[in-house]
Amino acid sequence: MNKVYPSARSAIDGVVASGQTMAVGGFGLCGIPEGLIAAVRDSGVRDLTCISNNAGVDGFGLGLLLQTRQVRKMIASYVGENKEFERQYLAGELELEFTPQGTLAEKMRAGGAGIPAFFTPTGVGTQVAQGKEVREFDGTRYVLERSLRADVALVKAWKADRQGNLVYRKTARNFNPVVAMCGRVTIAEVEELVENGQLDPDQVHTPGIFVARLFVNAQSEKRIEQRTVRAG
């Protein structure tokens, strides 16, 4: 099975479609599959439900898809860096499902592990728990959360072999592993491709069984979200 595609556009061809649920890796602008996001924008698909820790920034990351109005709903834990996101949400043009960050990660991990739901203490007694089952275990109240599965998952990795085994680099190993798990079809954007057998099995973060397609983007922009410098 050939998992390696020559470009982001070819990697999403025949997989990405309007109306899908799409999980996207990254934390802020670190570890985002920027080439795949741009390819999704250029494909013209619409009415997407995007699952991601955040919504990128104006004009970059998932901000590209918000700018072109291709996203119908966001499931996220943080959206504070995107003015267009704020404008669309306050205007009632974009649906938003706020989810605590750890709960969001576990929702995707559980979905990938075949677990339909789980109990967590996070959110009990808040708006997060409204309309959800709450039970007590050993004197502590927990809220029932449904897991998440995505039609397509887009992730960014440092290295991959041709079987799709992935290694993430430092902070980029954030939401990418659980995003890769929860996708029914997972597409990886990687910086370096090596031959099978060259990756140390103990260093593989996402096994190739989770990855259907990949392409090499050796020229990632890696934009800095916020830069703080010292005067003088």
Side-chain angles (χ1 to χ4, degrees):
M1 180 180 179
N2 179 30
K3 296 184 178 182
V4 182
Y5 285 72
S7 66
R9 182 61 184 269
S10 62
I12 70 168
D13 188 41
V15 174
V16 173
S18 294
Q20 287 181 327
T21 297
M22 179 179 294
V24 183
F27 185 94
L29 297 183
C30 180
I32 65 170
E34 57 194 70
L36 288 169
I37 293 171
V40 171
R41 176 200 59 190
D42 295 342
S43 73
V45 298
R46 309 194 69 80
D47 297 322
L48 297 173
T49 295
C50 287
I51 306 168
S52 184
N53 177 63
N54 55 279
V57 297
D58 292 287
F60 195 67
L62 284 177
L64 292 175
L65 302 185
L66 290 168
Q67 192 174 47
T68 51
R69 310 297 293 275
Q70 291 170 266
V71 179
R72 179 185 62 82
K73 178 180 179 180
M74 281 292 308
I75 301 174
S77 68
Y78 178 71
V79 294
E81 306 298 328
N82 195 311
K83 289 184 173 57
E84 178 59 19
F85 182 102
E86 177 185 26
R87 189 200 65 76
Q88 289 185 25
Y89 173 63
L90 293 178
E93 300 169 2
L94 178 70
E95 294 182 47
L96 171 61
E97 185 177 320
F98 260 136
T99 305
Q101 193 169 80
T103 302
L104 179 63
E106 180 61 12
K107 277 173 169 279
M108 290 188 280
R109 190 208 66 82
I115 300 169
F118 59 92
F119 282 99
T120 175
T122 303
V124 172
T126 73
Q127 291 182 349
V128 171
Q130 288 184 0
K132 299 175 183 176
E133 180 183 350
V134 176
R135 291 180 61 181
E136 185 174 308
F137 296 90
D138 300 322
T140 301
R141 297 169 70 216
Y142 295 79
V143 59
L144 182 67
E145 294 282 2
R146 292 294 305 269
S147 61
L148 288 170
R149 292 298 309 274
D151 299 307
V152 180
L154 310 180
V155 299
K156 171 68 180 295
W158 175 36
K159 288 184 180 181
D161 62 18
R162 294 182 178 275
Q163 293 178 320
N165 296 302
L166 305 181
V167 178
Y168 308 103
R169 187 171 188 274
K170 298 185 178 181
T171 312
R173 185 183 173 189
N174 40 53
F175 277 80
N176 278 299
V178 292
V179 167
M181 288 180 66
C182 83
R184 293 182 173 87
V185 178
T186 295
I187 307 171
E189 176 177 333
V190 306
E191 295 181 36
E192 185 177 340
L193 180 67
V194 301
E195 295 302 321
N196 295 335
Q198 289 188 305
L199 294 179
D200 181 349
D202 286 337
Q203 300 302 315
V204 170
H205 300 136
T206 294
I209 189 67
F210 289 109
V211 179
R213 299 181 176 191
L214 63 91
F215 89 102
V216 178
N217 180 7
Q219 304 296 325
S220 298
E221 184 175 343
K222 298 184 180 180
R223 189 180 300 188
I224 296 174
E225 188 170 358
Q226 295 185 16
R227 185 188 301 271
T228 302
V229 298
R230 184 176 62 183

